[in-house]
Amino acid sequence: SIIEAEGEGSLAVADVVRTSAGGREVRTRLEPISVDRVDGNERMALLVGEYRRRTESITSRVVANVKFPLPRDGDQHRLGGMIAEARRNVLRADVGLVGNAGIGADLPAGPVTYGQLYRVQPSESGLVKVTVTGAQLREVLEQALSRSGRPAAHVAGIRVRYDPRRRAGRRIQRLELLGSRKFQSSAEYSLATDDFLASGGEGYLALLNRPFIPGSILDVDAVIAYLRRLPQPAEFTAPPGFQSSR
């Protein structure tokens, strides 16, 4: 039988059985899990306790200090901007991108632990650096505005001036790269994001089949690395990447 976890309180069991006709048939069922049906096992309890202590020693470790709280207020907030900048900074890319759906929790002020940042970035996605033209980058940013006219992502390294009343695909009015470079549709740019978005997740189809370089770092570790580079207590006050003209 093949056993796979199925939510909380039950297991999904699939049995492959031979039929009377000589074929094979898969029969599935749900088996409830009850503490009352599980016998105590001292060796297992010791093993679980040891792993719990190891986990707590990691999640409780202070990795940085944040000066002001970073809540998720609205669709554009300093927390999302900080995460996007962390990706851009750590991978040395022109632009950083993070989807709002991937930001799992607020970040309070004060000492910040690994466990807190893991709740902020819980997906454990790997980061990648994608090569795009200016025209393709504009399309990616339009897709971040396509659902409701409001941004579903945060960016760093670029300012996106947009009109939410325009039709989808034509909402961006102006793109401004940070620094002295002028945005050009034919130029090539590097985009730091996670492998989920880079594979077309959340509707970012413009990123499909684009050349990329694995960043060899997880999303949460990139945030830790970036926060540690800032003067402590860390402060992030950059304006939002998406700016409405309305």
Side-chain angles (χ1 to χ4, degrees):
S1 62
I2 303 170
I3 303 176
E4 180 181 343
E6 177 70 18
E8 295 184 2
S10 65
L11 289 176
V13 181
D15 293 321
V16 181
V17 299
R18 185 181 297 275
T19 66
S20 58
R24 289 183 174 83
E25 182 179 287
V26 178
R27 299 174 183 173
T28 60
R29 68 185 187 278
L30 285 178
E31 286 287 346
I33 302 174
S34 172
V35 176
D36 298 334
R37 298 172 56 187
V38 179
D39 295 331
N41 186 305
E42 184 177 352
R43 291 181 62 187
M44 182 60 69
L46 290 173
L47 181 62
V48 171
E50 176 61 24
Y51 277 107
R52 180 182 292 113
R53 286 189 292 273
R54 292 183 185 181
T55 301
E56 290 175 350
S57 69
I58 295 173
T59 58
S60 63
R61 186 177 72 243
V62 174
V63 296
N65 200 297
V66 175
K67 188 171 185 178
F68 300 113
L70 298 174
R72 293 167 296 167
D73 293 333
D75 49 42
Q76 289 291 279
H77 42 73
R78 288 182 296 148
L79 177 58
M82 184 272 289
I83 296 171
E85 176 59 26
R87 296 179 172 195
R88 188 188 76 86
N89 183 282
V90 171
L91 294 193
R92 299 181 181 180
D94 298 310
V95 178
L97 172 71
V98 58
N100 290 358
I103 305 174
D106 300 338
L107 191 62
V112 177
T113 66
Y114 180 90
Q116 287 175 305
L117 290 175
Y118 182 82
R119 288 189 288 274
V120 172
Q121 291 276 262
S123 64
E124 293 186 290
S125 296
L127 297 188
V128 297
K129 185 158 66 172
V130 188
T131 300
V132 292
T133 65
Q136 290 163 343
L137 179 57
R138 176 185 287 269
E139 187 177 354
V140 170
L141 299 173
E142 285 282 4
Q143 287 170 351
L145 296 164
S146 65
R147 296 178 187 175
S148 63
R150 301 186 65 84
H154 283 75
V155 292
I158 194 168
R159 295 285 175 264
V160 184
R161 188 75 169 172
Y162 71 97
D163 185 346
R165 297 184 183 179
R166 289 186 177 184
R167 66 184 179 90
R170 294 290 185 272
R171 293 189 170 116
I172 293 176
Q173 299 171 299
R174 187 172 68 254
L175 294 174
E176 300 173 355
L177 287 168
L178 297 189
S180 58
R181 286 190 303 164
K182 181 180 179 181
F183 181 84
Q184 300 179 21
S185 295
S186 58
E188 282 196 343
Y189 301 101
S190 56
L191 174 68
T193 189
D194 55 75
D195 50 17
F196 175 67
L197 297 188
S199 62
E202 294 187 21
Y204 289 95
L205 302 181
L207 291 177
L208 278 173
N209 303 318
R210 300 305 311 155
F212 69 86
I213 300 173
S216 301
I217 190 171
L218 295 180
D219 47 13
V220 63
D221 294 324
V223 173
I224 292 172
Y226 174 66
L227 286 176
R228 283 175 167 170
R229 293 176 183 179
L230 299 177
Q232 302 294 304
E235 183 178 0
F236 191 83
T237 58
F242 285 92
Q243 299 178 352
S244 174
S245 61
R246 298 287 180 175

